[in-house]
Amino acid sequence: RLADALDFKVMSLYNHVANKDDLLAAMVDEIAARVPQPSAGDAPMLALRTFAVNTRAQFSLHRWAPGPWSSTMPGRGRADHMETVLRLLADSDLPPDTAHHGFHAIMSHVVGYSLHAEALGLQDVDLDTLAGEFLETVSAERHGHVITHVHQHLSGDTGESFELVLDFILDGLRRIAH
């Protein structure tokens, strides 16, 4: 399909990439390169928050990207992205092991949240119908908290949880460091 969209013969693409995984890796490296670098004057944790939010915004624009991001080998674009996150964690005076775990917590949240959002976006049923079908399979006695949680989603009480959970992660890292 890509070859058709670019008006190329399919086999001519393989003059530039070895296989589909190489093509996807190059594409997500381009997405990584589009994430704006944080402002030099921002405090490291604020810059890290902004960088994570901007990465999530790129995933929202390119909903196909989180899967290959986590399943292909990083190239220069993702290596630069990783360097930025790791540099900001180091600049925030976290102990090295905490920075290591912080990197994985932040990136797992960014990629995982985006994968989950994409999976829900692929559903051909509306959320009310999907939730109703699910709620029919659980009991109020055994799954009362689950039922309340589903109703919070349906009523919109939860708002945008991506930034809230990101703040939980960053606040936790700050607390561990001090």
Side-chain angles (χ1 to χ4, degrees):
R1 284 187 279 165
L2 179 62
D4 288 341
L6 296 173
D7 199 27
F8 276 86
K9 301 277 186 220
V10 172
M11 293 310 292
S12 67
L13 284 178
Y14 292 105
N15 291 326
H16 305 283
V17 293
N19 54 40
K20 181 180 176 182
D21 284 343
D22 282 353
L23 176 62
L24 289 171
M27 291 167 65
V28 292
D29 276 344
E30 177 61 28
I31 300 304
R34 292 181 181 185
V35 178
Q37 288 293 311
S39 301
D42 287 346
M45 283 296 191
L46 175 60
L48 189 54
R49 183 185 194 283
T50 301
F51 196 65
V53 168
N54 288 338
T55 302
R56 167 75 181 119
Q58 284 298 316
F59 286 158
S60 293
L61 292 172
H62 307 283
R63 295 175 57 164
W64 56 268
W69 183 285
S70 56
S71 66
T72 61
M73 201 54 133
R76 182 175 176 188
R78 279 185 289 159
D80 290 345
H81 187 280
M82 293 167 65
E83 183 66 22
T84 298
V85 174
L86 291 166
R87 177 182 48 78
L88 291 169
L89 287 164
D91 289 351
S92 65
D93 295 325
L94 293 172
D97 63 327
T98 303
H100 171 85
H101 295 299
F103 171 83
H104 290 286
I106 291 164
M107 292 311 301
S108 291
H109 176 56
V110 174
V111 174
Y113 190 95
S114 300
L115 284 168
H116 185 73
E118 173 63 7
L120 287 176
L122 293 176
Q123 300 288 341
D124 286 334
V125 294
D126 67 69
L127 285 179
D128 288 332
T129 302
L130 188 64
E133 291 172 2
F134 172 71
L135 290 173
E136 289 176 8
T137 69
V138 295
S139 95
E141 289 177 15
R142 186 172 178 171
H143 302 107
H145 295 290
V146 172
I147 292 168
T148 299
H149 182 81
V150 170
H151 284 290
Q152 285 174 314
H153 278 284
L154 293 174
S155 68
D157 288 344
T158 58
E160 177 63 44
S161 61
F162 173 78
E163 291 187 34
L164 177 64
V165 174
L166 177 61
D167 289 339
F168 290 163
I169 293 167
L170 296 174
D171 288 347
L173 290 170
R174 283 186 200 103
R175 191 184 77 242
I176 289 169
H178 296 97

